Amino acid sequence: MTQDQLKAAVAAAAVDYILPLLDDDTIVGIGTGSTANLFIDALAAHQHRFAAAVASSEGSTERLRSHGIEVVDLNSAGQLAVYVDGADESDPQLNLIKGGGAALTREKIVTAAARQFVCIADASKWVDHLGSFPLPVEVIPMARSYVARELLKLGGDPVWREGVVTDNGNVIIDLHGLYPIRDPAQLESDINQLAGVVCNGLFAQRPADCLLLGGADGVTQHRR
Ligand code: 5RP
């Protein structure tokens, strides 16, 4: 199976997973990226089963609306029953690196507002320790150089993702050379303490609750 076929398989499995959680009033949280896009496409056939969606990016909002799914602002949604999103890496504790698509801040907000976070990924994202994938850090533009110098002190190799502006009007610094991240929750906190950092792509203080992983032998379910 190709990576795209594996992503399509986990997207379909995620729809099956969340259908029992839905009712007419449910607002579903929906993430960003190619796997999340496939999830949106698969969910579209079941749009009569839930009320609306909250999306973690302008791109996902547009895709949801193109299927006729109503998208509402998180401020009017209250707690979400479930949030479904992809990841760039997951370790066995379901700590994640996210933000390859630069949507990490809104992803973290929607995750925080959800009762359950279901992560969907193909098997290439499964790692023993996080840190091979460069860790995205969203930064206020005027703080870019300062934050890069501070990130160097934390032991990483910061690279500005030139030309990328987030949905929030900020820039992204990718932090290379962190593998293996021994204490993801501590590093998440340390980076967030830096002035000018909006958010970083470690999801360790609030990891996934369930990971649906697509591999050669089918989709497997992992829990913490
Ligand atoms: C976007 C993300 C994505 O979930 C992550 O990059 C995985 O993307 P894909 O499903 O395309 O492999 O965090 O900010």
Side-chain angles (χ1 to χ4, degrees), residues 62-124:
E62 203 175 300
R63 196 175 188 100
L64 285 157
R65 288 190 172 141
S66 77
H67 283 295
I69 298 172
E70 187 185 352
V71 181
V72 296
D73 191 283
L74 180 63
N75 289 310
S76 59
Q79 191 184 37
L80 306 174
V82 64
Y83 176 59
V84 180
D85 196 3
D88 300 300
E89 286 187 343
S90 173
D91 72 11
Q93 289 72 46
L94 309 193
N95 299 309
L96 310 174
I97 285 184
K98 290 182 49 53
L104 58 154
T105 299
R106 294 191 187 191
E107 290 171 344
K108 204 171 275 196
I109 294 168
V110 186
T111 298
R115 207 171 299 133
Q116 191 177 169
F117 174 16
V118 179
C119 184
I120 50 177
D122 67 86
S124 70

XYZ file of all heavy atoms in Angstrom, residues 62-124:
461
model
N -12.159 25.732 4.535
C -12.563 25.805 3.125
C -12.974 24.429 2.601
O -13.988 24.279 1.923
C -11.355 26.322 2.332
C -11.685 26.971 1.019
C -10.408 27.533 0.405
O -9.769 28.401 1.033
O -10.025 27.042 -0.666
N -12.194 23.402 2.960
C -12.512 22.055 2.467
C -13.837 21.546 3.045
O -14.645 20.941 2.357
C -11.361 21.105 2.839
C -11.398 19.798 2.047
C -10.169 18.964 2.362
N -10.045 17.804 1.521
C -9.261 17.714 0.462
N -8.545 18.756 0.088
N -9.196 16.600 -0.240
N -14.042 21.802 4.333
C -15.303 21.395 4.968
C -16.485 22.079 4.284
O -17.483 21.435 3.950
C -15.282 21.757 6.460
C -14.409 20.853 7.333
C -13.978 21.558 8.611
C -15.153 19.562 7.672
N -16.347 23.372 4.045
C -17.464 24.121 3.430
C -17.701 23.650 2.005
O -18.840 23.641 1.532
C -17.179 25.620 3.494
C -17.316 26.126 4.931
C -17.296 27.641 5.048
N -17.625 28.037 6.412
C -17.053 29.048 7.075
N -16.114 29.779 6.491
N -17.407 29.323 8.309
N -16.634 23.242 1.318
C -16.816 22.768 -0.065
C -17.667 21.501 -0.097
O -18.269 21.171 -1.109
C -15.456 22.527 -0.731
O -14.894 21.315 -0.258
N -17.716 20.786 1.043
C -18.572 19.591 1.138
C -19.955 19.934 1.690
O -20.769 19.046 1.909
C -17.931 18.568 2.089
C -16.789 17.803 1.500
N -16.941 16.922 0.449
C -15.468 17.767 1.820
C -15.767 16.381 0.146
N -14.859 16.887 0.956
N -20.189 21.209 1.993
C -21.485 21.607 2.545
C -21.567 21.450 4.050
O -22.655 21.546 4.632
N -20.440 21.189 4.714
C -20.435 21.044 6.177
C -20.319 22.430 6.809
O -19.440 23.225 6.432
C -19.271 20.134 6.633
C -19.435 18.727 6.045
C -19.182 20.083 8.155
C -18.252 17.794 6.273
N -21.193 22.710 7.761
C -21.156 24.007 8.435
C -19.931 24.081 9.344
O -19.638 23.129 10.087
C -22.430 24.204 9.258
C -22.517 25.607 9.842
C -23.713 25.814 10.778
O -24.565 24.915 10.854
O -23.746 26.867 11.427
N -19.226 25.210 9.302
C -18.072 25.415 10.183
C -18.391 26.574 11.112
O -18.796 27.641 10.654
C -16.795 25.716 9.378
C -15.600 25.899 10.316
C -16.515 24.596 8.380
N -18.212 26.351 12.404
C -18.519 27.407 13.378
C -17.246 27.807 14.118
O -16.254 27.073 14.136
C -19.604 26.953 14.389
C -20.921 26.682 13.676
C -19.155 25.735 15.180
N -17.303 28.981 14.719
C -16.200 29.505 15.510
C -16.113 28.728 16.829
O -17.141 28.410 17.436
C -16.513 30.988 15.788
C -15.334 31.712 16.372
O -15.079 31.535 17.584
O -14.691 32.461 15.627
N -14.900 28.453 17.282
C -14.746 27.714 18.541
C -15.423 28.447 19.707
O -15.938 27.815 20.628
C -13.252 27.491 18.846
C -12.946 26.726 20.130
C -13.495 25.299 20.081
C -11.436 26.688 20.394
N -15.424 29.788 19.661
C -16.009 30.551 20.759
C -17.500 30.296 20.948
O -18.043 30.537 22.025
C -15.771 32.048 20.537
C -14.315 32.402 20.734
O -13.713 32.037 21.732
N -13.736 33.088 19.757
N -18.153 29.821 19.899
C -19.591 29.557 20.036
C -19.878 28.066 20.152
O -21.035 27.652 20.125
C -20.349 30.149 18.835
O -19.870 29.574 17.644
N -18.811 27.261 20.316
C -19.017 25.813 20.260
C -19.033 25.128 21.622
O -19.547 24.030 21.742
C -17.937 25.185 19.396
N -18.450 25.707 22.641
C -18.332 24.996 23.918
C -17.347 23.840 23.796
O -16.525 23.802 22.875
N -17.453 22.868 24.735
C -16.532 21.732 24.666
C -16.895 20.826 23.490
O -18.076 20.526 23.258
C -16.556 20.918 25.967
C -15.418 19.911 25.989
C -15.446 19.000 27.210
O -16.489 18.600 27.688
N -14.268 18.658 27.699
N -15.889 20.379 22.771
C -16.114 19.501 21.621
C -16.068 18.047 22.083
O -15.255 17.693 22.941
C -15.032 19.733 20.562
C -14.856 21.188 20.108
C -13.652 21.301 19.170
C -16.113 21.697 19.411
N -16.893 17.216 21.482
C -16.892 15.795 21.858
C -15.589 15.135 21.429
O -15.021 14.310 22.146
C -18.077 15.091 21.198
N -15.103 15.506 20.272
C -13.934 14.818 19.727
C -13.202 15.723 18.741
O -13.821 16.566 18.096
C -14.390 13.491 19.040
C -15.295 13.738 17.846
C -13.214 12.607 18.662
N -11.879 15.549 18.719
C -11.040 16.246 17.742
C -10.238 15.195 16.989
O -9.617 14.321 17.612
C -10.094 17.220 18.462
C -9.108 17.934 17.553
C -9.555 18.725 16.506
C -7.731 17.818 17.736
C -8.660 19.383 15.667
C -6.834 18.485 16.917
C -7.302 19.267 15.885
O -6.426 19.914 15.058
N -10.232 15.277 15.671
C -9.508 14.304 14.857
C -8.463 15.041 14.033
O -8.786 15.999 13.325
C -10.475 13.538 13.917
C -9.697 12.526 13.066
C -11.564 12.836 14.713
N -7.222 14.592 14.121
C -6.153 15.288 13.391
C -4.970 14.341 13.159
O -4.814 13.332 13.854
C -5.693 16.517 14.199
C -4.883 17.506 13.357
O -4.723 17.276 12.132
O -4.421 18.508 13.928
N -4.136 14.688 12.212
C -2.921 13.930 11.907
C -1.771 14.332 12.815
O -1.944 15.083 13.769
N -0.585 13.801 12.486
C 0.621 14.154 13.250
C 1.841 13.909 12.370
O 1.777 13.171 11.384
C 0.714 13.308 14.519
N 2.926 14.541 12.756
C 4.195 14.309 12.064
C 4.986 13.183 12.716
O 5.747 12.487 12.035
C 5.008 15.609 12.043
C 4.243 16.700 11.310
O 3.936 16.496 10.124
O 3.908 17.720 11.926
N 4.840 13.016 14.009
C 5.442 11.884 14.736
C 4.565 11.542 15.940
O 3.967 12.437 16.550
C 6.843 12.234 15.274
C 7.932 12.293 14.240
C 9.338 12.482 14.834
O 9.471 12.883 16.014
O 10.298 12.254 14.109
N 4.546 10.250 16.290
C 3.936 9.824 17.575
C 4.866 8.816 18.224
O 5.378 7.910 17.557
C 2.583 9.164 17.347
O 2.101 8.632 18.590
N 5.061 8.964 19.540
C 5.821 7.944 20.274
C 4.817 6.992 20.949
O 3.599 7.211 20.873
C 6.831 8.592 21.244
C 6.195 9.240 22.462
O 4.990 9.033 22.707
O 6.905 9.967 23.184
N 5.276 5.936 21.599
C 4.349 4.952 22.169
C 3.452 5.512 23.288
O 2.419 4.923 23.603
C 5.281 3.854 22.707
C 6.505 3.971 21.859
C 6.676 5.440 21.622
N 3.829 6.646 23.878
C 2.964 7.273 24.902
C 1.944 8.224 24.247
O 1.219 8.931 24.944
C 3.810 8.058 25.921
C 4.630 7.183 26.867
C 5.817 6.523 26.170
O 6.555 7.179 25.424
N 6.000 5.227 26.371
N 1.948 8.253 22.929
C 1.080 9.127 22.124
C 1.401 10.608 22.310
O 0.556 11.472 22.071
C -0.409 8.856 22.354
C -0.852 7.394 22.241
C -2.378 7.309 22.171
C -0.241 6.673 21.049
N 2.645 10.892 22.760
C 3.168 12.253 22.635
C 3.404 12.493 21.145
O 3.885 11.589 20.441
C 4.509 12.397 23.360
C 4.396 12.118 24.835
O 3.547 12.671 25.508
N 5.259 11.238 25.338
N 3.114 13.702 20.699
C 3.185 13.976 19.262
C 4.091 15.154 18.945
O 4.279 16.045 19.785
C 1.788 14.325 18.723
C 0.627 13.389 19.070
C -0.678 13.996 18.576
C 0.846 12.008 18.472
N 4.614 15.150 17.716
C 5.069 16.393 17.085
C 4.068 16.697 15.985
O 3.721 15.820 15.184
C 6.494 16.276 16.506
C 7.527 16.298 17.635
C 6.770 17.435 15.532
C 8.973 16.279 17.174
N 3.566 17.931 15.985
C 2.648 18.411 14.975
C 3.120 19.771 14.476
O 3.992 20.377 15.065
C 1.227 18.536 15.556
C 0.602 17.171 15.848
C -0.823 17.278 16.376
C -1.694 18.173 15.566
N -1.724 17.860 14.132
N 2.506 20.221 13.381
C 2.817 21.550 12.890
C 3.562 21.575 11.577
O 3.964 22.647 11.114
N 3.715 20.397 10.971
C 4.341 20.362 9.642
C 3.596 21.244 8.648
O 4.187 21.797 7.724
N 2.301 21.408 8.879
C 1.484 22.271 8.016
C 1.285 23.659 8.601
O 0.448 24.426 8.119
N 2.055 23.981 9.646
C 2.074 25.323 10.252
C 0.781 25.692 10.993
O 0.558 26.852 11.304
C 2.398 26.399 9.213
N -0.052 24.686 11.302
C -1.332 24.995 11.964
C -1.300 24.661 13.453
O -2.343 24.561 14.097
C -2.458 24.225 11.275
N -0.092 24.508 14.022
C 0.044 23.944 15.372
C -0.722 24.695 16.459
O -1.288 24.071 17.366
C 1.517 23.826 15.749
C 2.360 25.106 15.726
C 3.530 24.963 16.676
C 2.920 25.359 14.329
N -0.761 26.029 16.385
C -1.390 26.771 17.479
C -2.894 26.518 17.527
O -3.456 26.190 18.580
C -1.098 28.271 17.345
O 0.322 28.452 17.413
C -1.750 29.072 18.455
N -3.535 26.617 16.375
C -4.987 26.366 16.376
C -5.249 24.889 16.672
O -6.251 24.552 17.312
C -5.596 26.792 15.037
C -5.509 28.302 14.825
C -6.328 28.754 13.636
N -6.084 30.165 13.360
C -6.801 30.905 12.533
N -7.829 30.352 11.880
N -6.517 32.165 12.323
N -4.343 24.013 16.211
C -4.511 22.580 16.515
C -4.459 22.354 18.023
O -5.232 21.568 18.581
C -3.421 21.769 15.808
C -3.629 21.737 14.295
C -2.470 21.141 13.524
O -1.361 21.018 14.087
O -2.670 20.795 12.345
N -3.540 23.046 18.676
C -3.414 22.844 20.127
C -4.633 23.421 20.859
O -5.109 22.855 21.845
C -2.113 23.468 20.644
C -1.649 22.822 21.937
C -0.259 23.262 22.380
C 0.841 22.468 21.744
N 2.147 22.608 22.425
N -5.144 24.524 20.367
C -6.333 25.116 21.000
C -7.532 24.180 20.846
O -8.264 23.910 21.813
C -6.639 26.502 20.381
C -5.515 27.502 20.719
C -7.990 27.021 20.869
C -5.570 28.801 19.915
N -7.734 23.671 19.635
C -8.917 22.811 19.429
C -8.745 21.492 20.196
O -9.695 20.968 20.771
C -9.194 22.574 17.924
C -10.497 21.800 17.746
C -9.293 23.899 17.183
N -7.507 20.991 20.249
C -7.248 19.806 21.076
C -7.668 20.066 22.523
O -8.329 19.234 23.160
C -5.749 19.441 21.051
O -5.375 19.121 19.723
C -5.444 18.261 21.958
N -7.246 21.208 23.045
C -7.528 21.526 24.454
C -9.028 21.606 24.719
O -9.486 21.307 25.829
C -6.849 22.842 24.826
N -9.776 21.995 23.698
C -11.225 22.189 23.878
C -12.011 20.898 23.654
O -13.236 20.917 23.741
C -11.715 23.274 22.919
N -11.307 19.805 23.346
C -12.010 18.556 23.015
C -11.924 17.546 24.152
O -10.890 17.418 24.807
C -11.426 17.949 21.751
N -13.015 16.809 24.337
C -13.030 15.751 25.352
C -12.081 14.631 24.945
O -11.402 14.047 25.775
C -14.453 15.212 25.492
C -14.780 14.638 26.837
C -16.265 14.330 26.966
N -17.089 15.517 26.828
C -18.175 15.585 26.054
N -18.593 14.573 25.359
N -18.861 16.716 25.983
N -12.022 14.338 23.658
C -11.197 13.233 23.184
C -10.437 13.652 21.924
O -11.024 14.227 21.011
C -12.094 12.022 22.862
C -11.295 10.779 22.631
C -12.142 9.528 22.377
O -11.619 8.519 21.983
N -13.432 9.590 22.607
N -9.141 13.347 21.900
C -8.300 13.660 20.741
C -7.915 12.347 20.063
O -7.179 11.534 20.631
C -7.059 14.434 21.204
C -6.024 14.713 20.128
C -6.308 14.603 18.773
C -4.743 15.109 20.490
C -5.354 14.878 17.799
C -3.774 15.381 19.538
C -4.082 15.255 18.190
N -8.425 12.169 18.861
C -8.119 10.968 18.063
C -7.115 11.367 16.990
O -7.409 12.201 16.126
C -9.396 10.408 17.404
C -9.062 9.184 16.549
C -10.440 10.071 18.462
N -5.924 10.779 17.070
C -4.878 11.087 16.091
C -4.902 10.025 14.995
O -5.075 8.831 15.275
C -3.527 11.119 16.797
S -2.187 11.609 15.694
N -4.718 10.452 13.759
C -4.738 9.515 12.628
C -3.431 9.677 11.850
O -3.016 10.788 11.512
C -5.964 9.751 11.714
C -6.126 11.227 11.324
C -7.230 9.261 12.405
C -7.288 11.488 10.353
N -2.759 8.553 11.580
C -1.450 8.651 10.935
C -1.096 7.344 10.244
O -1.545 6.272 10.633
C -0.383 8.972 11.989
N -0.275 7.450 9.219
C 0.276 6.239 8.611
C 1.505 5.811 9.412
O 2.059 6.593 10.198
C 0.622 6.487 7.141
C 1.757 7.475 6.996
O 2.926 7.052 7.050
O 1.482 8.693 6.865
N 1.918 4.573 9.188
C 2.931 3.962 10.061
C 4.289 4.670 10.032
O 5.083 4.524 10.975
C 3.112 2.495 9.672
N 4.541 5.475 9.005
C 5.839 6.185 8.938
C 5.969 7.204 10.072
O 7.077 7.676 10.366
C 5.991 6.896 7.590
O 5.098 7.981 7.505
